[in-house]
């Protein structure tokens, strides 16, 4: 595949959407039972990988857990750090965001599942409430055809 250092898995958008939801759900479980908040609703979306081929696409799933406390942010990220390595994820960065608030953030990759993760724990501030922000992104998948991606969002 031109420019890719892997061979894209053959998968159409709907099964890829289901797989992405499963990955996101497992990440939520890894934050632990003590993180009881609300989870945003919008599901994963399709993004074409046009630079590599018309029939290639990736999934992107930004979501968050909100209506939680600062303590739940800390506990959730601590639990997630511990659980990632034992569940096929490799933490590639664990530190503070390059922002004024210096919120904790984690980057991780799961080569077997072909997903990457960026999570940030935002504490309650004058401008907002405590929240854990997730962004789950897949590597490119290969659809049956470029036409099967038409109308996908």
């Amino acid at each position: 595949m031109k420019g890719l250092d892997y061979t894209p898995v053959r998968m159409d958008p709907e099964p890829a959407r289901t797989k992405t939801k499963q990955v996101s759900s497992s990440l939520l479980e890894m934050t632990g039972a003590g993180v009881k908040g609300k989870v945003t609703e919008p599901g994963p979306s399709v993004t074409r990988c046009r630079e590599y081929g018309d029939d290639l696409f990736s999934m992107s799933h930004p979501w968050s857990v909100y209506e939680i406390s600062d303590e739940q942010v800390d506990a959730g990220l601590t639990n997630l750090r511990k659980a990632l390595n034992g569940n096929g994820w490799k933490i590639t960065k664990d530190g503070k965001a390059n922002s004024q608030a210096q919120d904790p953030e984690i980057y991780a990759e799961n080569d077997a599942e072909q997903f990457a993760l960026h999570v940030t724990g935002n504490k309650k501030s004058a401008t907002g409430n405590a929240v854990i922000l997730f962004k789950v992104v897949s590597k490119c998948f290969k659809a049956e055809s470029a036409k099967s991606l038409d109308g996908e969002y």
Side-chain angles (χ1 to χ4, degrees), residues 66-116:
Y66 62 102
E67 290 190 9
I68 58 176
S69 66
D70 286 355
E71 293 76 20
Q72 287 174 304
V73 169
D74 289 338
L77 290 182
T78 297
N79 293 338
L80 189 60
R81 276 184 196 95
K82 290 177 186 171
L84 284 171
N85 288 328
N87 285 283
W89 292 87
K90 179 183 173 199
I91 295 175
T92 57
K93 180 183 178 199
D94 187 355
K96 297 197 181 298
N98 187 15
S99 65
Q100 188 172 350
Q102 297 277 297
D103 292 316
E105 69 178 354
I106 301 168
Y107 286 86
E109 296 175 355
N110 187 322
D111 289 335
E113 295 291 332
Q114 299 194 334
F115 280 88

Side-chain angles (χ1 to χ4, degrees), residues 11-68:
M11 192 178 300
D12 285 325
E14 214 39 55
R17 194 179 317 273
T18 299
K19 182 176 178 74
T20 305
K21 287 178 185 176
Q22 289 169 343
V23 168
S24 290
S25 291
S26 72
L27 292 166
L28 178 59
E29 287 175 19
M30 286 183 223
T31 62
V35 179
K36 296 281 189 220
K38 293 187 177 177
V39 178
T40 52
E41 288 296 322
S45 61
V46 169
T47 303
R48 290 208 184 195
C49 303
R50 289 191 194 275
E51 64 272 28
Y52 304 113
D54 287 342
D55 59 348
L56 297 178
F57 69 98
S58 68
M59 298 304 298
S60 176
H61 190 202
W63 56 279
S64 62
V65 181
Y66 62 102
E67 290 190 9
I68 58 176

